[in-house]
């Protein structure tokens, strides 16, 4: 029984009490303190014991029931089931591929897999496995996937896929950039990119022998007035500039679109985490404003898991046809497996429910990070969105000291140095992610990171 089981709640944490209760019971089940068949207290009895409202305990029980941890029979109580069987587990990921396993991973770019409902995750994989083997795959993407993404973009990003655009499945953002480089550009062509910016995109262009020209960013994102002449395309992240976190305002979006139409270039809009906005509704996507000159890229890597290996591309029909022709020539294309899992999630409403859970789960994590940093007098930059913040420091030396100190103390931090494309550096600091870790690990790691960041500030004061 639960009488001797420690279930301590911390009312100072931003994490809801119902979430804490569910976490404690899950942990007890996985470490053997509770076993299948054990009877749990009634919601009233546990509420009295923990000095919380019965509604709080009921919410925790509802969550555990949805995940398959507990079951209840009318008149006979609530029981712990056998721990749910393992399904293909979503693996946390980041732009950092070399984070040591013994370090707390605070690098940006990882999804919040704690927000994934395990029951929904298992249902989707089972449903995907029910599909018979394919004889040939559709290089544009499975029709059901394209339908599901079209609905997702309309509901969650305000982007409609009409006759002026064509939607294709991709293997993710970097893969899509590589396909666009091969389909639309020729070796030696030049593309402009935000600096600092997303290195994987730069790498995809470089692999196609495309020259990547860095363009400075400011508090409003890409500096359109500094775009160099002679480029064929520009890659940017206007919804949440990576890694600095700026949101491109409407006036600059119009400026970029007008520049693209005037010069005949293509704008590649990477909406890598556009669904993760918490304060206000996002500004209209560039693709909504100018589908004739904008290629829109999206991914499941930040909202679900990079394990799917799927994303999407929305572009003018002639651009989509060029990408499809490249796929036919090379025999490449996205795998249908991840597409089918997303289709199953969308079909049962689990994808929409997941996004709602995600938008509730991530803001407390951001609040924890921001509170710890500001409590030590540190500046925090970046819009109230996404899964990371940036803490500026005074110099490259200070940045290196923070990262080295963090590693010695057990946390992996990501400096802005590696996100710069050119030799010139206008930004020094650390990008601090808050979604890769479990909540208890985040609570442990963030104060350590804040102390490491505060020390260089104190030394330079």
């Amino acid at each position: 029984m639960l009488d001797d089981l420690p279930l301590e709640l911390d009312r100072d944490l931003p994490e809801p009490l119902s979430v804490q209760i569910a976490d404690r019971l899950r942990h007890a089940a996985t470490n053997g303190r509770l076993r299948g068949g054990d009877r749990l207290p009634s919601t009233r009895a546990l509420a009295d014991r923990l000095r919380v409202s019965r509604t709080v305990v009921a919410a925790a029980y509802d969550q555990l029931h949805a995940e398959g941890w507990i079951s209840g029979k009318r008149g006979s109580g609530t029981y712990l089931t056998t721990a749910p069987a393992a399904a293909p587990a979503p693996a946390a990921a980041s732009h950092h591929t070399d984070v040591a396993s013994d370090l707390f991973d605070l690098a940006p770019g990882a999804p919040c897999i704690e927000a994934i409902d395990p029951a929904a995750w298992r249902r989707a994989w089972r449903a995907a496995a029910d599909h018979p083997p394919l004889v040939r795959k559709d290089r544009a993407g499975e029709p059901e996937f394209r339908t599901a993404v079209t609905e997702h973009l309309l509901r969650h990003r305000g982007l409609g896929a009409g006759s002026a655009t064509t939607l294709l499945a991709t293997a993710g953002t970097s893969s899509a950039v590589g396909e666009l480089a091969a389909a639309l550009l020729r070796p030696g062509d030049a593309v402009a990119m935000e600096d600092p910016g997303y290195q994987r995109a730069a790498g995809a262009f470089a692999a196609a022998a495309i020259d990547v020209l860095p363009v400075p960013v400011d508090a409003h994102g890409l500096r359109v007035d500094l775009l160099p002449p002679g480029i064929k395309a520009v890659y940017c992240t206007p919804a949440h500039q990576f890694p600095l976190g700026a949101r491109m305002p409407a006036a600059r979006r119009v400026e970029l679109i007008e520049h693209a139409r005037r010069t005949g270039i293509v704008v590649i809009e990477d909406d890598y985490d556009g669904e993760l906005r918490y304060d206000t509704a996002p500004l209209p996507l560039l693709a909504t404003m100018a589908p004739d000159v904008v290629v829109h890229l999206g991914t499941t890597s930040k909202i679900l898991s990079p394990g799917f290996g799927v994303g999407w591309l929305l572009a003018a029909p002639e651009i989509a046809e060029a990408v499809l022709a490249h796929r036919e020539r090379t025999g490449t294309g996205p795998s249908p497996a991840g597409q089918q899992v997303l289709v199953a999630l969308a079909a049962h409403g689990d994808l929409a429910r997941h996004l709602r859970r995600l938008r509730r789960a991530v803001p407390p994590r951001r609040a924890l990070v921001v509170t710890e940093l500001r409590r030590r007098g540190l500046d925090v930059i970046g819009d109230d969105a996404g899964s990371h913040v940036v803490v500026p420091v005074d110099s490259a030396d200070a940045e290196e000291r923070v990262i080295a100190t963090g590693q010695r103390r057990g946390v992996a931090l990501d400096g802005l140095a590696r996100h710069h494309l050119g030799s010139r550096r206008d930004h020094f600091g650390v990008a601090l992610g808050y979604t890769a870790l479990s909540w208890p690990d985040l609570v442990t790691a963030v104060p350590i990171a804040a102390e490491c960041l505060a020390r260089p500030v104190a030394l330079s004061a």
Side-chain angles (χ1 to χ4, degrees):
M1 277 293 292
L2 233 72
D3 294 339
D4 299 324
L5 190 69
L7 285 176
E8 299 297 328
L9 304 180
D10 188 343
R11 287 167 170 79
D12 292 329
L13 294 178
E15 187 180 31
L17 294 176
S18 60
V19 174
Q20 293 188 44
I21 294 170
D23 285 345
R24 306 303 187 267
L25 291 173
R26 260 191 235 101
H27 183 67
T30 55
N31 68 13
R33 297 293 298 273
L34 287 174
R35 298 183 179 181
D38 283 352
R39 182 174 179 174
L40 303 185
S42 67
T43 55
R44 187 184 303 278
L46 188 54
D48 289 343
R49 174 183 161 186
L50 298 177
R51 296 189 177 93
V52 297
S53 73
R54 188 178 178 187
T55 303
V56 169
V57 178
Y61 277 19
D62 286 346
Q63 179 60 39
L64 293 171
H65 186 272
E67 295 173 6
W69 289 98
I70 63 175
S71 63
K73 299 179 181 179
R74 186 178 297 277
S76 62
T78 301
Y79 294 85
L80 184 75
T81 63
T82 302
S94 73
H95 294 295
H96 249 209
T97 57
D98 56 353
V99 173
S101 59
D102 59 341
L103 297 178
F104 288 118
D105 182 4
L106 289 174
C112 183
I113 63 171
E114 274 201 339
I116 295 176
D117 177 358
W121 181 259
R122 291 193 299 274
R123 278 198 303 271
W125 282 93
R126 283 196 297 267
D130 287 339
H131 284 260
L134 291 175
V135 175
R136 300 182 188 276
K137 66 181 180 180
D138 190 330
R139 296 203 186 279
E142 299 305 300
E144 298 87 353
F145 174 81
R146 286 180 281 148
T147 299
V149 171
T150 298
E151 176 67 18
H152 168 79
L153 290 175
L154 184 61
R155 291 183 59 187
H156 298 284
R157 300 299 286 126
L159 177 58
S163 59
T165 55
T166 300
L167 189 140
L168 304 179
T170 71
T173 298
S174 301
S175 175
V177 169
E179 288 187 315
L180 289 168
L184 304 181
L185 306 173
R186 293 182 298 178
D189 282 347
V191 171
M193 269 193 65
E194 302 161 326
D195 187 29
Y198 183 36
Q199 290 294 315
R200 296 266 174 87
F205 283 124
I210 305 300
D211 293 334
V212 179
L213 306 181
V215 178
V217 298
D218 61 16
H220 300 301
L222 178 80
R223 288 283 302 274
V224 178
D225 59 315
L226 297 180
L227 285 173
I231 60 173
K232 300 294 185 180
V234 57
Y235 168 95
C236 58
T237 52
H240 191 223
Q241 198 278 327
F242 186 85
L244 298 183
R247 176 172 54 168
M248 185 180 287
R252 189 168 294 187
R253 293 177 189 229
V254 172
E255 182 186 6
L256 177 58
I257 289 167
E258 290 178 346
H259 180 92
R261 286 174 172 158
R262 185 172 62 252
T263 59
I265 67 173
V266 173
V267 178
I268 301 172
E269 174 186 40
D270 185 349
D271 194 46
Y272 68 99
D273 68 352
E275 295 89 349
L276 302 182
R277 177 157 294 282
Y278 320 115
D279 57 345
T280 59
L283 291 166
L285 292 165
L286 294 176
T288 301
M289 301 168 66
D292 55 322
V293 295
V294 176
V295 177
H296 175 85
L297 304 181
T299 179
T300 58
S301 292
K302 306 304 180 291
I303 59 173
L304 282 162
S305 167
F308 283 167
V310 294
W312 48 87
L313 176 158
L314 187 72
E318 60 271 21
I319 292 177
E321 286 299 325
V323 171
L324 286 176
H326 167 72
R327 291 179 180 178
E328 288 294 338
R329 289 194 303 270
T330 59
T332 57
S335 169
Q339 298 176 49
Q340 290 166 353
V341 176
L342 188 77
V343 167
L345 283 168
H348 299 289
D350 286 327
L351 179 59
R353 281 188 288 272
H354 169 69
L355 290 174
R356 291 195 293 270
R357 286 164 57 95
L358 196 60
R359 292 181 183 125
R360 291 194 302 268
V362 178
R365 291 167 167 266
R366 188 182 193 280
L368 169 67
V369 171
V370 171
T371 298
E372 286 289 339
L373 294 172
R374 288 182 174 159
R375 188 164 65 85
R376 291 168 173 80
L378 297 166
D379 292 332
V380 179
I381 62 174
D383 224 27
D384 189 2
S387 58
H388 74 278
V389 297
V390 171
V391 181
V393 297
D394 293 335
S395 65
D397 287 343
E399 182 181 306
E400 292 173 2
R401 286 199 303 272
V402 169
I403 295 170
T405 303
Q407 186 160 7
R408 286 196 300 271
R409 298 194 58 187
V411 295
L413 300 172
D414 188 16
L416 294 182
R418 75 181 189 90
H419 298 288
H420 281 79
L421 304 173
S423 57
R424 172 179 171 175
R425 286 194 61 186
D426 296 322
H427 304 276
F428 306 98
V430 169
L432 200 155
Y434 43 81
T435 48
L437 296 176
S438 67
W439 179 266
D441 284 350
L442 190 70
V443 170
T444 300
V446 168
I448 298 173
E451 291 170 7
C452 295
L453 283 157
R455 181 172 175 78
V457 171
L459 289 174
S460 63

